[in-house]
Amino acid sequence: MTGGLVALLLLVILLQGVWHAFALIPDGDLDGAHLYHGWLIVTRQLSLYADEMTGHRTPLAYWLIGGSQVLWGPSLLAGRLASFGAGFVGLILLWRGTTRALGRETGLLALALVAASPYLTAHTATAGFQGLCLFWVGLGVWSWSGGSRLGVLGCAWGLFLTRPQFGLLIPLAWFWARRTSGRRVDLALVAPAVAFWLAFWPVKMVAYV
């Protein structure tokens, strides 16, 4: 019974994501920027820190969406399905992690809440960073449920390299890893992200003003 319900919820989420990938009106600031800039970055025609790239950027979302354009040619659908695919895998990991750590009912509740939230699946089905962020969150929960402290810290790094605003999660994950393990976790795993965040966050704020 439980397996059938899980399969049904995952099917609902999958159909929502595919529908949104086909049907959503393109957003030039999100879809267009990641598709075009991602393709230029993957093919080494543009740097993340060129003048054409406003603000400061981190590479993973551009690599994912740009890679879809290199593999399947110029295609809005390919970029959107790549993003949604990453988010869908993250959702499965989220379900597995919550089930392992908090019980079967909690895992089912997590899936049911996502299935009842088409706005969330719509965001992951855009050619942007949202699907990849969901992947790292899901992998982080799965790592946490298995007691992998370095896995949690690695997912914090993954979020940061997808969207720099998540940089402060890295010292928080490092502090949690130290407190729960009783062992020393190398500060070198944290310092670069903190330095980057402190150096470039004021620049981004000025750029918005």
Side-chain angles (χ1 to χ4, degrees), residues 79-123:
R80 286 181 167 183
L81 289 178
S83 176
F84 175 72
F88 190 72
V89 172
L91 178 61
I92 293 174
L93 291 170
L94 180 65
W95 162 64
R96 295 285 293 175
T98 52
T99 299
R100 180 163 62 181
L102 303 172
R104 184 178 302 172
E105 293 79 7
T106 306
L108 282 173
L109 178 62
L111 280 182
L113 288 174
V114 175
S117 306
Y119 189 73
L120 189 152
T121 54
H123 268 284

Side-chain angles (χ1 to χ4, degrees), residues 15-208:
L15 292 176
Q16 286 181 2
V18 173
W19 165 253
H20 285 130
F22 275 96
L24 285 177
I25 297 173
D27 182 340
D29 290 335
L30 185 63
D31 291 313
H34 282 83
L35 287 166
Y36 181 58
H37 289 153
W39 175 72
L40 289 176
I41 289 165
V42 170
T43 56
R44 298 186 178 183
Q45 299 181 59
L46 179 67
S47 166
L48 278 170
Y49 303 101
D51 290 341
E52 293 86 350
M53 300 290 286
T54 57
H56 60 279
R57 305 291 179 182
T58 45
L60 293 187
Y62 289 99
W63 288 350
L64 174 66
I65 306 303
S68 73
Q69 303 304 286
V70 172
L71 289 174
W72 294 293
S75 169
L76 173 61
L77 182 61
R80 286 181 167 183
L81 289 178
S83 176
F84 175 72
F88 190 72
V89 172
L91 178 61
I92 293 174
L93 291 170
L94 180 65
W95 162 64
R96 295 285 293 175
T98 52
T99 299
R100 180 163 62 181
L102 303 172
R104 184 178 302 172
E105 293 79 7
T106 306
L108 282 173
L109 178 62
L111 280 182
L113 288 174
V114 175
S117 306
Y119 189 73
L120 189 152
T121 54
H123 268 284
T124 61
T126 56
F129 58 88
Q130 291 92 336
L132 197 53
C133 286
L134 180 55
F135 168 78
W136 291 118
V137 170
L139 184 58
V141 171
W142 184 79
S143 299
W144 164 76
S145 70
S148 175
R149 296 170 181 85
L150 287 180
V152 172
L153 186 56
C155 290
W157 266 100
L159 280 167
F160 165 67
L161 292 174
T162 302
R163 198 69 176 169
Q165 288 88 337
F166 289 111
L168 285 185
L169 289 177
I170 296 176
L172 292 176
W174 171 79
F175 181 75
W176 169 80
R178 288 201 62 174
R179 289 296 298 269
T180 57
S181 68
R183 297 196 301 258
R184 180 176 175 272
V185 179
D186 197 343
L187 186 61
L189 295 171
V190 181
V194 175
F196 182 97
W197 197 91
L198 292 176
F200 286 95
W201 183 258
V203 175
K204 191 169 183 72
M205 291 299 97
V206 170
Y208 276 127

